[in-house]
Short mmCIF file of all heavy atoms in Angstrom, two decimals:
data_model
loop_
_atom_site.label_atom_id
_atom_site.label_comp_id
_atom_site.label_asym_id
_atom_site.label_seq_id
_atom_site.Cartn_x
_atom_site.Cartn_y
_atom_site.Cartn_z
N MET A 1 7.19 20.88 12.81
CA MET A 1 6.23 19.94 12.26
C MET A 1 5.68 19.07 13.38
O MET A 1 6.43 18.57 14.19
CB MET A 1 6.92 19.08 11.19
CG MET A 1 5.98 18.08 10.56
SD MET A 1 6.85 17.02 9.41
CE MET A 1 6.26 17.74 7.91
N THR A 2 4.38 18.90 13.41
CA THR A 2 3.78 18.09 14.46
C THR A 2 3.48 16.69 13.95
O THR A 2 3.24 16.50 12.76
CB THR A 2 2.47 18.73 14.96
OG1 THR A 2 1.57 18.80 13.86
CG2 THR A 2 2.72 20.11 15.53
N ALA A 3 3.49 15.74 14.84
CA ALA A 3 3.18 14.36 14.47
C ALA A 3 1.67 14.21 14.29
O ALA A 3 0.89 14.83 14.99
CB ALA A 3 3.67 13.40 15.55
N MET A 4 1.29 13.38 13.32
CA MET A 4 -0.13 13.12 13.08
C MET A 4 -0.60 12.00 14.01
O MET A 4 0.10 11.04 14.22
CB MET A 4 -0.38 12.70 11.63
CG MET A 4 -0.09 13.79 10.64
SD MET A 4 -0.50 13.29 8.97
CE MET A 4 -2.26 13.46 9.01
N THR A 5 -1.77 12.18 14.55
CA THR A 5 -2.35 11.12 15.36
C THR A 5 -3.13 10.18 14.45
O THR A 5 -3.44 10.51 13.31
CB THR A 5 -3.28 11.70 16.43
OG1 THR A 5 -4.37 12.33 15.79
CG2 THR A 5 -2.54 12.67 17.33
N ARG A 6 -3.48 9.03 14.96
CA ARG A 6 -4.21 8.03 14.18
C ARG A 6 -5.56 8.58 13.71
O ARG A 6 -6.03 8.24 12.64
CB ARG A 6 -4.40 6.75 15.02
CG ARG A 6 -5.03 5.64 14.27
CD ARG A 6 -4.08 5.11 13.21
NE ARG A 6 -4.75 4.06 12.46
CZ ARG A 6 -4.57 3.83 11.19
NH1 ARG A 6 -3.71 4.54 10.51
NH2 ARG A 6 -5.20 2.86 10.58
N GLN A 7 -6.18 9.45 14.49
CA GLN A 7 -7.48 9.99 14.11
C GLN A 7 -7.37 10.91 12.88
O GLN A 7 -8.33 11.09 12.17
CB GLN A 7 -8.10 10.78 15.27
CG GLN A 7 -8.55 9.91 16.42
CD GLN A 7 -7.39 9.53 17.33
OE1 GLN A 7 -6.35 10.17 17.35
NE2 GLN A 7 -7.55 8.44 18.07
N GLN A 8 -6.22 11.51 12.65
CA GLN A 8 -6.05 12.43 11.53
C GLN A 8 -5.72 11.70 10.23
O GLN A 8 -5.82 12.27 9.16
CB GLN A 8 -4.93 13.42 11.83
CG GLN A 8 -5.24 14.34 12.99
CD GLN A 8 -4.03 15.16 13.37
OE1 GLN A 8 -2.91 14.67 13.42
NE2 GLN A 8 -4.25 16.42 13.66
N VAL A 9 -5.31 10.46 10.31
CA VAL A 9 -4.90 9.72 9.13
C VAL A 9 -6.11 9.11 8.46
O VAL A 9 -6.86 8.38 9.09
CB VAL A 9 -3.89 8.60 9.51
CG1 VAL A 9 -3.50 7.80 8.29
CG2 VAL A 9 -2.69 9.19 10.20
N PRO A 10 -6.32 9.41 7.17
CA PRO A 10 -7.46 8.80 6.49
C PRO A 10 -7.26 7.29 6.36
O PRO A 10 -6.15 6.81 6.18
CB PRO A 10 -7.46 9.47 5.12
CG PRO A 10 -6.11 10.03 4.95
CD PRO A 10 -5.56 10.29 6.32
N GLU A 11 -8.34 6.54 6.46
CA GLU A 11 -8.26 5.08 6.38
C GLU A 11 -7.82 4.62 5.00
O GLU A 11 -7.04 3.70 4.87
CB GLU A 11 -9.61 4.46 6.73
CG GLU A 11 -9.87 4.44 8.22
CD GLU A 11 -8.87 3.61 8.98
OE1 GLU A 11 -8.55 2.49 8.55
OE2 GLU A 11 -8.40 4.08 10.01
N ARG A 12 -8.34 5.20 3.96
CA ARG A 12 -8.06 4.76 2.60
C ARG A 12 -7.69 5.95 1.71
O ARG A 12 -8.56 6.60 1.17
CB ARG A 12 -9.27 4.06 1.99
CG ARG A 12 -9.54 2.72 2.56
CD ARG A 12 -8.58 1.73 1.95
NE ARG A 12 -8.84 0.41 2.49
CZ ARG A 12 -7.90 -0.45 2.72
NH1 ARG A 12 -6.66 -0.17 2.48
NH2 ARG A 12 -8.18 -1.62 3.22
N PRO A 13 -6.39 6.23 1.55
CA PRO A 13 -6.01 7.31 0.63
C PRO A 13 -6.38 6.98 -0.81
O PRO A 13 -6.56 7.86 -1.62
CB PRO A 13 -4.49 7.38 0.77
CG PRO A 13 -4.18 6.73 2.06
CD PRO A 13 -5.27 5.73 2.29
N ILE A 14 -6.52 5.70 -1.14
CA ILE A 14 -6.86 5.30 -2.50
C ILE A 14 -8.35 4.93 -2.53
O ILE A 14 -8.79 4.06 -1.78
CB ILE A 14 -6.03 4.08 -2.93
CG1 ILE A 14 -4.55 4.40 -2.87
CG2 ILE A 14 -6.42 3.63 -4.33
CD1 ILE A 14 -3.67 3.20 -3.09
N SER A 15 -9.08 5.58 -3.41
CA SER A 15 -10.51 5.25 -3.53
C SER A 15 -10.66 3.86 -4.13
O SER A 15 -9.75 3.35 -4.79
CB SER A 15 -11.21 6.28 -4.42
OG SER A 15 -10.75 6.16 -5.75
N ASN A 16 -11.80 3.26 -3.91
CA ASN A 16 -12.06 1.92 -4.47
C ASN A 16 -11.99 1.94 -5.99
O ASN A 16 -11.48 1.01 -6.61
CB ASN A 16 -13.43 1.41 -4.02
CG ASN A 16 -13.45 1.07 -2.56
OD1 ASN A 16 -12.41 0.78 -1.96
ND2 ASN A 16 -14.62 1.12 -1.96
N GLN A 17 -12.49 3.01 -6.59
CA GLN A 17 -12.47 3.12 -8.05
C GLN A 17 -11.03 3.18 -8.57
O GLN A 17 -10.68 2.51 -9.53
CB GLN A 17 -13.24 4.37 -8.48
CG GLN A 17 -13.36 4.55 -9.96
CD GLN A 17 -14.16 5.78 -10.32
OE1 GLN A 17 -14.41 6.64 -9.49
NE2 GLN A 17 -14.57 5.87 -11.57
N ARG A 18 -10.20 3.98 -7.94
CA ARG A 18 -8.80 4.09 -8.36
C ARG A 18 -8.06 2.77 -8.12
O ARG A 18 -7.24 2.35 -8.91
CB ARG A 18 -8.11 5.23 -7.62
CG ARG A 18 -6.69 5.44 -8.13
CD ARG A 18 -6.09 6.70 -7.61
NE ARG A 18 -6.78 7.81 -8.25
CZ ARG A 18 -6.63 9.07 -7.88
NH1 ARG A 18 -5.83 9.37 -6.89
NH2 ARG A 18 -7.27 10.02 -8.49
N TRP A 19 -8.35 2.10 -7.00
CA TRP A 19 -7.70 0.83 -6.70
C TRP A 19 -8.01 -0.20 -7.79
O TRP A 19 -7.15 -0.96 -8.21
CB TRP A 19 -8.11 0.32 -5.32
CG TRP A 19 -7.58 -1.05 -5.06
CD1 TRP A 19 -8.31 -2.18 -4.89
CD2 TRP A 19 -6.21 -1.46 -4.96
NE1 TRP A 19 -7.48 -3.25 -4.69
CE2 TRP A 19 -6.19 -2.84 -4.73
CE3 TRP A 19 -5.01 -0.78 -5.06
CZ2 TRP A 19 -5.01 -3.55 -4.60
CZ3 TRP A 19 -3.83 -1.49 -4.93
CH2 TRP A 19 -3.84 -2.85 -4.69
N GLU A 20 -9.25 -0.24 -8.27
CA GLU A 20 -9.62 -1.19 -9.33
C GLU A 20 -8.85 -0.92 -10.61
O GLU A 20 -8.57 -1.84 -11.37
CB GLU A 20 -11.13 -1.15 -9.59
CG GLU A 20 -11.94 -1.71 -8.44
CD GLU A 20 -11.55 -3.14 -8.05
OE1 GLU A 20 -11.31 -3.96 -8.95
OE2 GLU A 20 -11.48 -3.42 -6.85
N LEU A 21 -8.47 0.33 -10.86
CA LEU A 21 -7.65 0.64 -12.03
C LEU A 21 -6.19 0.23 -11.83
O LEU A 21 -5.52 -0.21 -12.76
CB LEU A 21 -7.70 2.14 -12.34
CG LEU A 21 -9.04 2.69 -12.82
CD1 LEU A 21 -8.98 4.20 -12.89
CD2 LEU A 21 -9.39 2.10 -14.17
N LEU A 22 -5.68 0.40 -10.61
CA LEU A 22 -4.27 0.12 -10.33
C LEU A 22 -3.99 -1.36 -10.06
O LEU A 22 -2.89 -1.84 -10.34
CB LEU A 22 -3.82 0.94 -9.12
CG LEU A 22 -3.79 2.44 -9.32
CD1 LEU A 22 -3.52 3.14 -8.01
CD2 LEU A 22 -2.77 2.83 -10.37
N LYS A 23 -4.94 -2.08 -9.53
CA LYS A 23 -4.74 -3.47 -9.12
C LYS A 23 -4.15 -4.35 -10.22
O LYS A 23 -3.22 -5.11 -9.96
CB LYS A 23 -6.06 -4.03 -8.61
CG LYS A 23 -5.97 -5.36 -7.95
CD LYS A 23 -7.33 -5.76 -7.41
CE LYS A 23 -7.30 -7.11 -6.78
NZ LYS A 23 -8.62 -7.48 -6.26
N PRO A 24 -4.63 -4.29 -11.47
CA PRO A 24 -4.06 -5.15 -12.51
C PRO A 24 -2.61 -4.81 -12.87
O PRO A 24 -1.92 -5.61 -13.49
CB PRO A 24 -4.97 -4.92 -13.72
CG PRO A 24 -6.17 -4.23 -13.23
CD PRO A 24 -5.81 -3.57 -11.94
N LEU A 25 -2.14 -3.64 -12.49
CA LEU A 25 -0.78 -3.22 -12.84
C LEU A 25 0.28 -3.76 -11.89
O LEU A 25 1.48 -3.66 -12.16
CB LEU A 25 -0.69 -1.69 -12.86
CG LEU A 25 -1.65 -1.00 -13.83
CD1 LEU A 25 -1.55 0.51 -13.66
CD2 LEU A 25 -1.37 -1.43 -15.25
N ILE A 26 -0.15 -4.35 -10.77
CA ILE A 26 0.80 -4.86 -9.78
C ILE A 26 1.24 -6.25 -10.18
O ILE A 26 0.43 -7.14 -10.41
CB ILE A 26 0.16 -4.88 -8.37
CG1 ILE A 26 -0.18 -3.45 -7.96
CG2 ILE A 26 1.09 -5.54 -7.37
CD1 ILE A 26 -0.96 -3.36 -6.69
N SER A 27 2.55 -6.42 -10.31
CA SER A 27 3.07 -7.73 -10.70
C SER A 27 3.31 -8.58 -9.45
O SER A 27 3.56 -8.07 -8.37
CB SER A 27 4.37 -7.58 -11.48
OG SER A 27 5.35 -6.98 -10.68
N TYR A 28 3.23 -9.86 -9.64
CA TYR A 28 3.46 -10.79 -8.53
C TYR A 28 4.84 -11.41 -8.69
O TYR A 28 5.27 -11.68 -9.81
CB TYR A 28 2.36 -11.85 -8.48
CG TYR A 28 1.06 -11.24 -8.07
CD1 TYR A 28 0.16 -10.78 -9.00
CD2 TYR A 28 0.75 -11.08 -6.73
CE1 TYR A 28 -1.02 -10.18 -8.62
CE2 TYR A 28 -0.43 -10.49 -6.34
CZ TYR A 28 -1.31 -10.05 -7.29
OH TYR A 28 -2.47 -9.45 -6.90
N PRO A 29 5.54 -11.65 -7.60
CA PRO A 29 6.89 -12.19 -7.69
C PRO A 29 6.86 -13.64 -8.18
O PRO A 29 5.88 -14.35 -7.97
CB PRO A 29 7.41 -12.12 -6.26
CG PRO A 29 6.18 -12.14 -5.42
CD PRO A 29 5.12 -11.45 -6.22
N PRO A 30 7.94 -14.06 -8.85
CA PRO A 30 8.01 -15.46 -9.29
C PRO A 30 8.11 -16.38 -8.06
O PRO A 30 8.47 -15.93 -6.97
CB PRO A 30 9.29 -15.52 -10.11
CG PRO A 30 10.11 -14.38 -9.64
CD PRO A 30 9.13 -13.32 -9.20
N PRO A 31 7.81 -17.67 -8.23
CA PRO A 31 7.93 -18.59 -7.10
C PRO A 31 9.36 -18.58 -6.54
O PRO A 31 10.33 -18.42 -7.28
CB PRO A 31 7.60 -19.95 -7.70
CG PRO A 31 6.91 -19.66 -8.98
CD PRO A 31 7.36 -18.31 -9.44
N ALA A 32 9.46 -18.74 -5.25
CA ALA A 32 10.75 -18.70 -4.58
C ALA A 32 11.57 -19.96 -4.89
O ALA A 32 11.02 -21.05 -5.02
CB ALA A 32 10.56 -18.57 -3.09
N LYS A 33 12.86 -19.77 -5.00
CA LYS A 33 13.76 -20.91 -5.17
C LYS A 33 14.06 -21.51 -3.81
O LYS A 33 14.24 -20.79 -2.83
CB LYS A 33 15.07 -20.45 -5.82
CG LYS A 33 14.88 -19.92 -7.21
CD LYS A 33 16.19 -19.44 -7.79
CE LYS A 33 15.96 -18.86 -9.17
NZ LYS A 33 17.18 -18.33 -9.75
N ASN A 34 14.10 -22.80 -3.72
CA ASN A 34 14.42 -23.51 -2.48
C ASN A 34 13.46 -23.18 -1.34
O ASN A 34 13.83 -23.21 -0.18
CB ASN A 34 15.86 -23.21 -2.03
CG ASN A 34 16.87 -23.61 -3.07
OD1 ASN A 34 16.68 -24.59 -3.79
ND2 ASN A 34 17.94 -22.85 -3.18
N SER A 35 12.25 -22.79 -1.66
CA SER A 35 11.20 -22.47 -0.67
C SER A 35 11.58 -21.35 0.29
O SER A 35 11.06 -21.27 1.38
CB SER A 35 10.84 -23.74 0.13
OG SER A 35 10.36 -24.73 -0.72
N ARG A 36 12.46 -20.49 -0.12
CA ARG A 36 12.86 -19.35 0.73
C ARG A 36 12.19 -18.10 0.20
O ARG A 36 12.47 -17.64 -0.89
CB ARG A 36 14.38 -19.18 0.73
CG ARG A 36 15.07 -20.34 1.37
CD ARG A 36 16.54 -20.13 1.43
NE ARG A 36 17.16 -21.29 2.05
CZ ARG A 36 18.44 -21.43 2.20
NH1 ARG A 36 19.27 -20.50 1.78
NH2 ARG A 36 18.92 -22.51 2.77
N THR A 37 11.31 -17.56 1.01
CA THR A 37 10.55 -16.39 0.55
C THR A 37 10.81 -15.14 1.39
O THR A 37 10.33 -14.08 1.06
CB THR A 37 9.05 -16.69 0.60
OG1 THR A 37 8.68 -16.99 1.94
CG2 THR A 37 8.69 -17.83 -0.32
N GLY A 38 11.53 -15.26 2.48
CA GLY A 38 11.69 -14.12 3.36
C GLY A 38 10.44 -13.94 4.20
O GLY A 38 9.75 -14.90 4.50
N GLY A 39 10.12 -12.72 4.53
CA GLY A 39 8.93 -12.46 5.34
C GLY A 39 7.66 -12.60 4.52
O GLY A 39 7.70 -12.68 3.29
N PRO A 40 6.53 -12.62 5.19
CA PRO A 40 5.27 -12.72 4.46
C PRO A 40 5.01 -11.47 3.63
O PRO A 40 5.38 -10.36 4.02
CB PRO A 40 4.23 -12.89 5.56
CG PRO A 40 4.88 -12.39 6.79
CD PRO A 40 6.35 -12.56 6.62
N ARG A 41 4.38 -11.63 2.50
CA ARG A 41 4.07 -10.51 1.61
C ARG A 41 2.98 -9.66 2.25
O ARG A 41 2.00 -10.16 2.78
CB ARG A 41 3.60 -11.06 0.27
CG ARG A 41 3.30 -9.98 -0.75
CD ARG A 41 2.87 -10.63 -2.05
NE ARG A 41 2.37 -9.65 -2.98
CZ ARG A 41 3.07 -9.17 -4.01
NH1 ARG A 41 4.28 -9.63 -4.23
NH2 ARG A 41 2.55 -8.28 -4.81
N SER A 42 3.15 -8.32 2.19
CA SER A 42 2.11 -7.43 2.70
C SER A 42 0.99 -7.34 1.66
O SER A 42 1.19 -7.64 0.50
CB SER A 42 2.59 -6.03 2.96
OG SER A 42 3.91 -5.85 2.79
N LYS A 43 -0.13 -6.87 2.11
CA LYS A 43 -1.25 -6.68 1.19
C LYS A 43 -0.91 -5.50 0.27
O LYS A 43 -0.40 -4.47 0.72
CB LYS A 43 -2.53 -6.42 1.95
CG LYS A 43 -2.96 -7.63 2.74
CD LYS A 43 -4.27 -7.42 3.43
CE LYS A 43 -4.63 -8.71 4.15
NZ LYS A 43 -5.90 -8.64 4.81
N ASP A 44 -1.16 -5.68 -1.01
CA ASP A 44 -0.76 -4.69 -2.01
C ASP A 44 -1.39 -3.32 -1.77
O ASP A 44 -0.72 -2.30 -1.85
CB ASP A 44 -1.11 -5.18 -3.42
CG ASP A 44 -0.32 -6.41 -3.81
OD1 ASP A 44 0.83 -6.55 -3.36
OD2 ASP A 44 -0.85 -7.23 -4.58
N ARG A 45 -2.67 -3.30 -1.47
CA ARG A 45 -3.34 -2.01 -1.27
C ARG A 45 -2.79 -1.31 -0.03
O ARG A 45 -2.59 -0.09 -0.04
CB ARG A 45 -4.85 -2.21 -1.14
CG ARG A 45 -5.59 -0.90 -1.08
CD ARG A 45 -7.07 -1.09 -1.19
NE ARG A 45 -7.76 0.19 -1.13
CZ ARG A 45 -9.02 0.36 -1.40
NH1 ARG A 45 -9.76 -0.68 -1.76
NH2 ARG A 45 -9.57 1.54 -1.31
N ALA A 46 -2.54 -2.04 1.03
CA ALA A 46 -1.99 -1.43 2.24
C ALA A 46 -0.60 -0.86 1.98
O ALA A 46 -0.28 0.23 2.45
CB ALA A 46 -1.93 -2.47 3.36
N ALA A 47 0.21 -1.57 1.21
CA ALA A 47 1.55 -1.08 0.89
C ALA A 47 1.47 0.19 0.06
O ALA A 47 2.20 1.16 0.31
CB ALA A 47 2.34 -2.15 0.15
N LEU A 48 0.57 0.23 -0.93
CA LEU A 48 0.41 1.43 -1.75
C LEU A 48 -0.14 2.58 -0.92
O LEU A 48 0.32 3.73 -1.07
CB LEU A 48 -0.50 1.14 -2.94
CG LEU A 48 -0.63 2.25 -3.96
CD1 LEU A 48 0.72 2.69 -4.50
CD2 LEU A 48 -1.53 1.81 -5.10
N ASP A 49 -1.07 2.32 -0.03
CA ASP A 49 -1.56 3.35 0.89
C ASP A 49 -0.41 3.95 1.69
O ASP A 49 -0.32 5.17 1.86
CB ASP A 49 -2.59 2.78 1.86
CG ASP A 49 -3.96 2.55 1.25
OD1 ASP A 49 -4.23 3.10 0.16
OD2 ASP A 49 -4.75 1.82 1.86
N ASP A 50 0.48 3.11 2.18
CA ASP A 50 1.61 3.58 2.98
C ASP A 50 2.57 4.43 2.15
O ASP A 50 3.06 5.46 2.61
CB ASP A 50 2.36 2.40 3.60
CG ASP A 50 1.53 1.68 4.65
OD1 ASP A 50 0.54 2.26 5.15
OD2 ASP A 50 1.86 0.52 4.97
N VAL A 51 2.85 4.01 0.93
CA VAL A 51 3.74 4.78 0.05
C VAL A 51 3.14 6.15 -0.23
O VAL A 51 3.83 7.18 -0.14
CB VAL A 51 4.00 4.01 -1.25
CG1 VAL A 51 4.69 4.90 -2.28
CG2 VAL A 51 4.83 2.76 -0.98
N LEU A 52 1.86 6.19 -0.54
CA LEU A 52 1.21 7.48 -0.81
C LEU A 52 1.18 8.37 0.43
O LEU A 52 1.37 9.58 0.33
CB LEU A 52 -0.21 7.25 -1.34
CG LEU A 52 -0.28 6.65 -2.73
CD1 LEU A 52 -1.73 6.39 -3.12
CD2 LEU A 52 0.40 7.52 -3.75
N PHE A 53 0.96 7.78 1.59
CA PHE A 53 0.96 8.57 2.82
C PHE A 53 2.32 9.25 3.02
O PHE A 53 2.39 10.44 3.33
CB PHE A 53 0.63 7.68 4.01
CG PHE A 53 0.67 8.42 5.32
CD1 PHE A 53 -0.42 9.16 5.73
CD2 PHE A 53 1.79 8.39 6.12
CE1 PHE A 53 -0.40 9.86 6.92
CE2 PHE A 53 1.83 9.08 7.31
CZ PHE A 53 0.73 9.83 7.73
N VAL A 54 3.38 8.50 2.83
CA VAL A 54 4.73 9.04 3.02
C VAL A 54 5.02 10.14 1.99
O VAL A 54 5.53 11.20 2.34
CB VAL A 54 5.79 7.92 2.93
CG1 VAL A 54 7.19 8.48 2.86
CG2 VAL A 54 5.66 6.99 4.13
N THR A 55 4.67 9.90 0.73
CA THR A 55 4.96 10.92 -0.29
C THR A 55 4.11 12.17 -0.11
O THR A 55 4.59 13.28 -0.33
CB THR A 55 4.77 10.36 -1.71
OG1 THR A 55 3.43 9.88 -1.85
CG2 THR A 55 5.73 9.25 -2.00
N GLU A 56 2.87 12.03 0.32
CA GLU A 56 2.00 13.17 0.50
C GLU A 56 2.34 14.00 1.74
O GLU A 56 2.08 15.20 1.79
CB GLU A 56 0.53 12.74 0.56
CG GLU A 56 0.02 12.23 -0.76
CD GLU A 56 -1.36 11.62 -0.67
OE1 GLU A 56 -1.91 11.56 0.45
OE2 GLU A 56 -1.88 11.18 -1.70
N ASN A 57 2.90 13.35 2.75
CA ASN A 57 3.18 14.04 4.01
C ASN A 57 4.64 14.39 4.22
O ASN A 57 5.01 14.91 5.26
CB ASN A 57 2.65 13.20 5.18
CG ASN A 57 1.15 13.15 5.16
OD1 ASN A 57 0.49 14.15 5.39
ND2 ASN A 57 0.61 11.99 4.83
N GLY A 58 5.48 14.08 3.26
CA GLY A 58 6.88 14.46 3.34
C GLY A 58 7.66 13.76 4.43
O GLY A 58 8.64 14.30 4.95
N ILE A 59 7.28 12.57 4.80
CA ILE A 59 7.99 11.83 5.83
C ILE A 59 9.15 11.11 5.16
O ILE A 59 9.00 10.44 4.16
CB ILE A 59 7.05 10.81 6.50
CG1 ILE A 59 5.88 11.55 7.13
CG2 ILE A 59 7.80 9.97 7.52
CD1 ILE A 59 4.78 10.64 7.59
N ALA A 60 10.32 11.26 5.74
CA ALA A 60 11.50 10.59 5.15
C ALA A 60 12.29 9.89 6.22
O ALA A 60 12.27 10.19 7.35
CB ALA A 60 12.37 11.59 4.44
#
């Protein structure tokens, strides 16, 4: 198996139309107790793009 270069990776695996359907289904975490939140939250669409990339390309 060969590694994919950045040029081979599509910018947006999720179309804008599909994203508009999925966006309302994403829940937001409750407020943190004692102001402890851990690291900053990633952007939801970017995280979903990454999950789909891994599942579609069999990377484990």
Side-chain angles (χ1 to χ4, degrees):
M1 180 184 255
T2 61
M4 294 184 77
T5 64
R6 185 69 182 146
Q7 290 80 21
Q8 295 172 318
V9 178
E11 282 298 315
R12 288 281 180 216
I14 301 172
S15 68
N16 290 336
Q17 183 179 14
R18 185 169 290 170
W19 174 245
E20 291 304 318
L21 293 172
L22 294 172
K23 189 176 178 180
L25 302 175
I26 297 173
S27 63
Y28 291 92
K33 296 178 182 177
N34 301 326
S35 300
R36 295 183 180 177
T37 60
R41 182 179 171 102
S42 355
K43 294 184 178 182
D44 295 328
R45 186 170 180 170
L48 186 55
D49 283 344
D50 293 342
V51 169
L52 291 176
F53 178 83
V54 169
T55 58
E56 291 172 358
N57 292 292
I59 300 169

